[in-house]
Amino acid sequence: MFYGIVPGMLLSFLFRCLARLVFRCLARLSQVARRAVLLPLTLALLLGTAAQAAPAAAAPPPKASCPAEPAPLPAARLAALAKDRGLMWTLQRDGRTSYLYASLHVGRPAWAAPGPRLLAALAQVDAVALELDPLDRDAWQMPPMPELPLDASLRRRLDAQAAAVCLPPGALATMHPLLQTSTYMLLRARALGLDVRYGQEMLLSQWARERGLPVLALETLQGQLEALLPADVDAARHELRANLRQLERPATLLRTLDTMVAVYDRGDLARLNRYAEWCDCVTDAADRTALRRINDGRNPALAERIAELHQRGQSLLVAVGAMHMTGPRALPALLREHGFEVTLMPPSGSR
């Protein structure tokens, strides 16, 4: 499921690297299909040479039910709309201050300019640290993934979701089925004017490069895939069916995603902590286990990596998916255990 944003991950959280995986795998479509379905030129670096050759798929004719990618806004309009979004903490230790920023893996065109708080942090730090750098082609060499055999019924349901977002049947067949459903959730998000190009990781990687700041990775692609894709076949099929049930109720899925984006935009940590109560994606013990694996299970290693980078003498702007800031083993709590003085910054505009 797409925990995080699309409540699965989307943003997930799941989402975590799914947005980036989506576009790498879509690169396997023909050039015409890519243009008709998705990829903007701004993702060229993401695709690079990592995508391997695969049979070309014919692009279906455009449908009114398939929203186009959101158009970028002119610079003057962006400047007028720039504001702080989400949540940010200061991390103080060893006489230095770093910053922890809760990110979202999709966003709107109006998010393409940093707010005052992010601008100030970018001006003060030595490096930006992300779960993975979406613009680092070398980091996106796809490792082997576990097999997940599907019966005819599950294949038909996957094909139906491809058609719903104007992709031909089997267009994403080279992807693990769970990544296919996460891709479909990302494409559905366009109905709300959301796109991975405007997710915080993509933007922060661009902003860092514009300022000559190094971009550091907190995780590896292999590690993220191990968290996202259960090796147990029965568990993977359970999660696949759960994802398909969400996709087969598009109105509910979009309503939940819209709520997630609004909660994130206003920095509502209390409501974010109650995510499982309103996401319509945690319905049984297996769902709760999956959420812990995808989200909470990664937090100890993330905290250790942040502490290690800070200890090297660098002041960091760290961006990690917003769902990692929730629960009893939330990332801010774990960083306190590593000796940081962790302070939630007040909402933008508050006194």
Side-chain angles (χ1 to χ4, degrees):
M1 45 203 78
F2 223 14
Y3 301 112
I5 186 186
V6 153
M9 191 206 120
L10 197 234
L11 276 181
S12 65
F13 125 88
L14 172 286
F15 163 176
R16 286 182 187 305
C17 70
L18 295 183
R20 284 138 347 216
L21 292 176
V22 168
F23 291 101
R24 292 180 61 78
C25 292
L26 283 174
R28 302 185 184 194
L29 297 177
S30 69
Q31 182 179 6
V32 173
R34 291 201 307 271
R35 184 180 299 115
V37 177
L38 266 179
L39 302 183
L41 292 177
T42 53
L43 288 173
L45 283 176
L46 209 67
L47 304 176
T49 58
Q52 301 171 1
K63 296 180 182 178
S65 60
C66 298
E69 64 188 52
L73 299 178
R77 180 65 175 153
L78 278 179
L81 294 173
K83 57 172 272 191
D84 288 316
R85 296 177 171 84
L87 297 150
M88 185 181 285
W89 290 257
T90 57
L91 308 175
Q92 295 178 314
R93 201 187 74 176
D94 307 323
R96 290 186 304 282
T97 299
S98 289
Y99 299 89
L100 175 64
Y101 181 59
S103 65
L104 201 59
H105 305 302
V106 294
R108 295 191 167 100
W111 297 13
R117 193 166 57 190
L118 268 181
L119 274 176
L122 286 165
Q124 295 169 30
V125 300
D126 303 310
V128 169
L130 309 174
E131 294 172 26
L132 289 173
D133 180 4
L135 298 184
D136 180 3
R137 284 185 292 181
D138 293 338
W140 292 99
Q141 301 297 321
M142 294 296 292
M145 285 180 274
E147 297 287 334
L148 182 60
L150 302 179
D151 60 27
S153 174
L154 284 173
R155 291 189 182 280
R156 284 194 298 271
R157 293 172 71 184
L158 276 173
D159 285 345
Q161 292 309 314
V165 295
C166 301
L167 286 174
L172 304 185
T174 55
M175 296 172 68
H176 188 282
L178 282 171
L179 298 184
Q180 292 183 47
T181 55
S182 297
T183 302
Y184 299 143
M185 291 181 185
L186 285 166
L187 296 179
R188 294 247 187 207
R190 286 188 164 183
L192 300 173
L194 297 163
D195 193 276
V196 295
R197 288 181 300 159
Y198 305 106
Q200 296 300 299
E201 288 83 4
M202 186 72 72
L203 296 174
L204 280 164
S205 186
Q206 294 171 356
W207 296 334
R209 283 170 166 79
E210 290 167 3
R211 290 161 174 79
L213 295 172
V215 181
L216 310 174
L218 300 173
E219 298 181 294
T220 64
L221 183 57
Q222 176 72 54
Q224 284 202 347
L225 286 172
E226 288 174 358
L228 296 174
L229 306 178
D232 180 80
V233 170
D234 290 337
R237 285 204 189 97
H238 177 92
E239 292 180 30
L240 177 62
R241 292 188 180 98
N243 286 3
L244 286 167
R245 283 195 296 272
Q246 285 184 283
L247 285 162
E248 288 160 356
R249 301 170 59 204
T252 300
L253 176 64
L254 290 177
R255 185 166 57 249
T256 303
L257 177 54
D258 195 40
T259 299
M260 180 67 184
V261 173
V263 168
Y264 172 82
D265 197 4
R266 65 177 182 264
D268 189 345
L269 184 58
R271 185 147 174 78
L272 198 62
N273 265 303
R274 298 194 301 273
Y275 173 77
E277 299 174 10
W278 51 264
C279 74
D280 193 46
C281 66
V282 182
T283 60
D284 57 24
D287 288 344
R288 289 188 287 274
T289 297
L291 180 55
R292 285 194 297 271
R293 184 191 76 245
I294 293 168
N295 196 74
D296 303 18
R298 292 164 55 206
N299 285 353
L302 285 168
E304 185 172 346
R305 174 67 168 158
I306 293 167
E308 172 197 341
L309 292 173
H310 182 92
Q311 190 171 5
R312 292 180 185 177
Q314 301 177 102
S315 175
L316 307 169
L317 171 55
V318 180
V320 177
M323 288 303 297
H324 290 283
M325 314 304 172
T326 64
R329 301 301 286 166
L331 194 50
L334 294 180
L335 287 169
R336 289 189 181 95
E337 294 179 4
H338 280 272
F340 286 94
E341 181 181 337
V342 182
T343 305
L344 178 61
M345 300 176 73
S348 181
S350 65
R351 298 182 181 273

